[in-house]
Amino acid sequence: MKSSPRVVVVGAGFGGLAATRALKGANVRVLVIDKQNHHLFQPLLYQVATAALSPADIAWPIRRILRRQQNAEVLMAEVTGIDPLNKRVLLGDRSEEYDYLVLASGATHSYFGHDEWAPYAPGLKEIVDATHIRRRILMAFECAEAVNDAVHRQKFLTFVVVGGGPTGVEMAGTMSELARKALAADFRHIDLSTARVILLEAGSRLLSSFPESLSEYVRQALADLGVDVQTGVAVTGCDAEGVDTAAGRIDAATVIWAAGVEASPVARWLDVPADRAGRVAVAEDLSVPGLDGVYIVGDAALYRHGTEKPLPGVAPVAKQQGAYVGAIIASRVSGEPKPAPFRYKDSGQLATIGRRAAVVDFGRLRFTGWFAWWLWGIVHIYFLISVRSRLLVAIQWLWSYLTFDRGARLITPDRPPAAKPGASSDHA
């Protein structure tokens, strides 16, 4: 008796989980492969980086999420390649067979050909990135408190965020409030009103995917928070002491990169062409032309059908694509008619600026200010996976709103300390 077809899903982000869940009732065996053991709610990752939330508030073990789905299993491993001819996913010295393959492996930071900037300007994609950035931000304040030289102190109190998209805008606004409100009474020798947060955007305006009126509102809201917004300014160099721009040098101890992303190496794995961002062009059913049973969803998929521009790399796109591919595979296995070509249903865009302002674009309906901020919060809490996380995040946001307190201000080491000679370890 022939066993059920095997579906391998690479990546347990929004797209990968949506595809897996869509296959819950199908006659297939699903294997979810991810190099991490957790699913991460990336839209709130910046709040971990700015000490508003703890990592456990926005991440959940993949095995726990899928424990009730009997046809799904999880493997924590890192994909090193794909063998489409023999239908195998390569995992270093081992491999896994597939009948259908869903690549939902996301994206990483792009430094536009200057990867040497990465150590000086970390990006924000994973929990380890967020805790690293949190450490750098909090250490900058500690160093400023410890030095007497005014020039060095100001360098520690200068923070540069590169990129005026949603992540950059949200980071800059939150960092300014962290310095001027949350930490204002905690230090004795530094005046945190002198802290500088600079937001650099190479384009002509912030949030370029939003209507221009909302972009202008965001610029003014950030200025009201004390953020120095500089548009039309590209970064030309980056080192441990700050950044070089077309407008001049900025000395800063902390630089955060939010300027661009590139897809995971799916094009290299499949040996197919890709665009400048590493995305692979997919057909109207999100399959890779010429490769049987291979689908790409989310950040790594280049999909233009029905749109002038490729669909953006945001969570709603990945979730809808994942659910669609799950339905496609289920229909193929059962012999039912194939679903209509994929079409993205745009439910709008949201971005927040600090604790009292946000912008919401629902097409004909647009909101700004305090109401938009509450709407942004409700939407994000709703999409958190667990009831526990929704409750914890809501309570922490309410407490922070009333008191400006940040409960996750822990400075942790970037790496675990080396074991002393003769010490034992509980881990293999």
Side-chain angles (χ1 to χ4, degrees):
M1 181 177 176
K2 185 178 179 181
S3 61
S4 302
R6 196 178 200 215
V7 181
V8 174
V9 178
V10 176
F14 293 109
L17 282 185
T20 302
R21 286 169 161 170
L23 291 165
K24 185 175 182 179
N27 182 29
V28 297
R29 295 168 295 136
V30 184
L31 174 64
V32 179
I33 302 175
D34 199 295
K35 65 180 180 179
Q36 309 288 352
N37 81 324
H38 55 267
H39 166 78
L40 175 65
F41 191 79
Q42 280 193 351
L44 292 181
L45 195 55
Y46 81 96
Q47 295 218 355
V48 175
T50 53
L53 296 174
S54 296
D57 295 334
I58 62 167
W60 307 269
I62 302 166
R63 295 184 184 277
R64 182 175 180 82
I65 295 171
L66 298 176
R67 64 180 176 174
R68 299 184 187 278
Q69 186 167 336
Q70 295 301 314
N71 69 341
E73 59 179 310
V74 178
L75 175 63
M76 183 177 172
E78 185 168 1
V79 174
T80 56
I82 307 290
D83 180 1
L85 182 63
N86 297 302
K87 290 196 168 186
R88 302 189 73 89
V89 177
L90 308 180
L91 309 165
D93 58 357
R94 59 174 291 191
S95 64
E96 294 287 343
E97 295 182 345
Y98 68 84
D99 294 293
Y100 299 95
L101 176 62
V102 181
L103 294 170
S105 45
T108 185
H109 324 297
S110 173
Y111 293 89
F112 307 110
H114 292 281
D115 290 345
E116 68 276 11
W117 296 350
Y120 314 115
L124 192 58
K125 281 294 178 184
E126 299 178 357
I127 285 177
V128 67
D129 300 328
T131 54
H132 174 68
I133 290 172
R134 182 182 68 186
R135 182 181 190 278
R136 291 182 69 153
I137 292 172
L138 296 178
M139 279 299 300
F141 292 112
E142 297 292 342
C143 291
E145 176 83 346
V147 301
N148 294 319
D149 181 77
V151 174
H152 282 84
R153 183 185 301 120
Q154 189 56 56
K155 185 176 75 172
F156 285 121
L157 293 178
T158 300
F159 304 87
V160 175
V161 180
V162 183
T167 299
V169 165
E170 290 168 349
M171 277 292 302
T174 307
M175 286 173 61
S176 184
E177 287 187 336
L178 178 68
R180 297 169 183 270
K181 298 290 185 180
L183 302 181
D186 290 11
F187 293 88
R188 300 291 179 264
H189 303 293
I190 53 176
D191 178 6
L192 291 187
S193 67
T194 64
R196 249 186 115 192
V197 178
I198 303 170
L199 178 58
L200 303 178
E201 165 55 41
S204 60
R205 63 187 179 93
L206 304 176
L207 299 180
S208 59
S209 63
F210 283 69
E212 191 166 350
S213 60
L214 296 185
S215 295
E216 185 55 36
Y217 172 85
V218 169
R219 172 192 277 274
Q220 187 56 54
L222 286 171
D224 292 342
L225 289 175
V227 178
D228 180 3
V229 179
Q230 300 182 23
T231 54
V233 177
V235 171
T236 58
C238 185
D239 54 44
E241 304 299 322
V243 296
D244 294 307
T245 75
R249 174 75 178 178
I250 301 175
D251 291 327
T254 306
V255 181
I256 298 168
W257 192 265
V261 296
E262 62 182 3
S264 58
V266 291
R268 176 169 56 81
W269 292 344
L270 298 172
D271 193 23
V272 295
D275 71 352
R276 293 177 60 184
R279 297 171 298 184
V280 175
V282 293
E284 61 182 12
D285 63 352
L286 304 180
S287 64
V288 180
L291 298 180
D292 179 48
V294 179
Y295 301 85
I296 303 178
V297 303
D299 295 335
L302 177 63
Y303 187 85
R304 297 180 183 273
H305 301 274
T307 61
E308 294 182 4
K309 296 181 179 179
L311 293 178
V314 295
V317 171
K319 292 175 73 172
Q320 290 184 34
Q321 289 182 336
Y324 176 85
V325 166
I328 282 281
I329 294 173
S331 69
R332 289 186 60 176
V333 170
S334 65
E336 296 178 358
K338 182 179 178 180
F342 175 76
R343 288 293 181 267
Y344 174 57
K345 297 179 181 178
D346 190 355
S347 54
Q349 305 179 87
L350 307 92
T352 184
I353 314 105
R355 65 193 291 272
R356 289 189 178 179
V359 288
V360 175
D361 176 23
F362 288 150
R364 294 182 179 180
L365 292 176
R366 298 171 184 172
F367 304 101
T368 61
W370 181 83
F371 175 75
W373 185 86
W374 279 99
L375 185 59
W376 173 92
I378 291 170
V379 168
H380 281 71
I381 287 174
Y382 173 78
F383 282 110
L384 291 172
I385 282 183
S386 71
V387 174
R388 173 184 175 275
S389 294
R390 292 171 187 164
L391 182 61
L392 287 175
V393 170
I395 291 173
Q396 290 185 75
W397 279 354
L398 179 60
W399 181 255
S400 177
Y401 183 84
L402 296 173
T403 67
F404 282 100
D405 189 29
R406 297 294 174 106
R409 286 164 41 193
L410 303 180
I411 299 177
T412 54
D414 280 344
R415 300 178 182 85
K420 295 181 180 179
S424 63
S425 173
D426 293 331
H427 302 281

